[in-house]
Amino acid sequence: MMQPQVCPPLPKGTILDLAPTDLKNLRQTRYDGRNKSASVEEFAPDARRTIEMAYEVTCELQELLRPLYKDTALAEEALQRFLENEDWSQPFGRLAKLRIPEAQRENDELRKVTHDIKGGALTALYGLLQLIELGVGQPEDIPQAYFLARDHAKIMRNALPDLDPPRYEADLNYKLHDVELIAEKWRGKRGREDGKKVEIRSHVEYEGAIATRCMEFSALDRVLYNVLNNAVRHTSGEAIFLSAVAVPQEHPHSLRFVVVNPIDAAQQAAINERTDGEPSRLFDPGVTTDSTGLGLTISSEFVAQAFGLAHAGEAVARQYLGATLVDDYFACWFHWPLVDD
């Protein structure tokens, strides 16, 4: 086990008290990460082309940085050439602004897929590349660019199976994914739409596998990016905190992820008003303090699938995920099953 550390502002005891620790996994077979998806053919031709172009650029960037990202000097030089010579900004910008027509607004799955392919890791990746292009990036931004491109390519395949069938099928192959993969990429800073940067401080207190396929890991990523993007967007401070603790302590079978961000008095009042004093209701469909609330709803649906629950509402009611206010902080949590030895 890794040496215990405190990831402020919540001590470990508070993290363990957020929800029951012995939550059952009701699935007979492990969730492989599929079925929260749509077809790329459901989009209008212009939107479909935007999606395809953005995906191609994302994959190209991933392949460019894969062998280089640990060597900052080589990777930075290659990335600068890429930014100067490739048409990356236009497809990323168009995808970030993607809207589905009014006639398709009742298509719930299409709305959720659109939310994740235009959000996910793209928000941070697009902003990061703009900073690097302007020459104001930092050395630690180089590996982050690789992680973000890799993650978003997988998220797009998870959400749109027919976007890249060969790679989609490869993502379904058995391949253990260690928890450390989460720790390594959720460090550093993320940009916001207002131009500010927010530091992410993470502590993962577990060593072992958390997914058995790339497809499952990308489903977990869709939850993590939704929850963390929400925290980055709404924090009233300069940092947010990600903790991951295995539960129950003695014989763990789930990993509890906890994301904490400071909020001001106005935000606290808005949360209490919109949720009738029950912040976990933010995971219910249609409940939000601003925007659409889709990200947290999608998260509850994935968690329900991972544990074999009947529906997202059951996951919230039984505290497989939820949210609360602790002093001047908003804290939300969710669980994901560990891989059996």
Side-chain angles (χ1 to χ4, degrees):
M1 287 286 193
M2 295 179 181
Q3 290 299 313
Q5 302 173 34
V6 174
C7 185
L10 297 190
K12 185 174 177 180
T14 302
I15 289 173
L16 292 174
D17 288 341
L18 288 172
T21 59
D22 196 21
L23 296 168
K24 305 299 182 185
N25 187 348
L26 304 182
R27 293 188 65 91
Q28 297 298 309
T29 58
R30 190 169 183 90
Y31 178 48
D32 65 8
R34 286 185 286 186
N35 69 17
K36 302 304 299 177
S37 60
S39 169
V40 71
E41 297 296 328
E42 295 180 66
F43 289 88
D46 286 349
R48 185 164 65 247
R49 183 57 184 154
T50 290
I51 292 168
E52 291 168 347
M53 289 176 64
Y55 176 72
E56 289 170 6
V57 172
T58 304
C59 290
E60 185 178 350
L61 182 59
Q62 176 191 354
E63 293 305 313
L64 172 72
L65 294 178
R66 186 201 304 273
L68 302 174
Y69 76 94
K70 294 182 180 180
D71 187 322
T72 303
L74 285 177
E76 185 173 15
E77 182 181 343
L79 184 55
Q80 286 289 359
R81 287 199 303 270
F82 175 88
L83 297 177
E84 291 171 4
N85 299 324
E86 300 295 329
D87 180 15
W88 62 274
S89 183
Q90 188 176 65
F92 279 2
R94 286 180 175 175
L95 182 58
K97 297 177 181 179
L98 187 67
R99 298 287 186 273
I100 58 176
E102 190 69 36
Q104 292 180 300
R105 297 288 169 83
E106 298 303 315
N107 186 330
D108 200 40
E109 287 306 311
L110 192 62
R111 289 175 63 235
K112 292 170 183 174
V113 162
T114 302
H115 176 278
D116 280 4
I117 65 172
K118 63 183 282 186
L122 179 71
T123 304
L125 177 61
Y126 187 27
L128 184 64
L129 295 181
Q130 289 174 315
L131 290 176
I132 294 172
E133 186 178 46
L134 291 171
V136 293
Q138 303 297 321
E140 61 267 24
D141 292 337
I142 303 301
Q144 288 299 318
Y146 168 69
F147 295 142
L148 292 167
R150 177 195 65 188
D151 290 353
H152 202 62
K154 289 184 179 181
I155 286 172
M156 292 184 76
R157 290 196 295 272
N158 181 285
L160 298 166
D162 56 346
L163 180 62
D164 186 348
R167 284 194 176 106
Y168 179 87
E169 291 300 323
D171 287 347
L172 287 169
N173 292 335
Y174 187 87
K175 181 181 180 182
L176 287 178
H177 287 64
D178 196 87
V179 172
E180 176 58 24
L181 294 172
I182 293 170
E184 72 174 354
K185 69 185 179 185
W186 287 109
R187 299 185 182 114
K189 295 188 176 182
R190 292 290 192 274
R192 301 200 318 187
E193 291 179 0
D194 59 8
K196 295 181 180 178
K197 288 190 111 179
V198 176
E199 182 182 0
I200 298 177
R201 301 175 187 170
S202 65
H203 169 58
V204 178
E205 194 177 312
Y206 181 76
E207 291 180 331
I210 190 63
T212 59
R213 291 167 173 79
C214 288
M215 190 63 64
E216 181 194 352
F217 199 68
S218 62
L220 173 58
D221 264 345
R222 285 176 71 178
V223 178
L224 269 170
Y225 275 100
N226 275 322
V227 171
L228 282 155
N229 284 348
N230 185 71
V232 168
R233 184 166 58 250
H234 293 294
T235 184
S236 63
E238 297 179 351
I240 64 173
F241 308 88
L242 168 65
S243 298
V245 177
V247 293
Q249 289 263 274
E250 292 187 2
H251 301 288
H253 51 69
S254 298
L255 199 62
R256 176 173 296 174
F257 293 91
V258 183
V259 176
V260 180
N261 63 277
I263 55 174
D264 58 31
Q267 290 172 306
Q268 291 188 47
I271 290 171
N272 281 321
E273 180 182 354
R274 295 303 302 271
T275 66
D276 295 325
E278 299 180 18
S280 288
R281 291 192 58 216
L282 288 170
F283 287 96
D284 293 336
V287 180
T288 180
T289 56
D290 65 4
S291 189
T292 64
L294 275 178
L296 297 186
T297 300
I298 293 165
S299 300
S300 61
E301 292 174 347
F302 270 117
V303 171
Q305 290 280 351
F307 284 95
L309 306 176
H311 50 76
E314 184 180 2
V316 178
R318 296 175 62 177
Q319 300 184 70
Y320 284 78
L321 75 169
T324 190
L325 300 179
V326 181
D327 299 325
D328 295 327
Y329 299 95
F330 177 77
C332 67
W333 72 87
F334 71 91
H335 297 81
W336 202 266
L338 294 170
V339 177
D340 295 333
D341 293 333

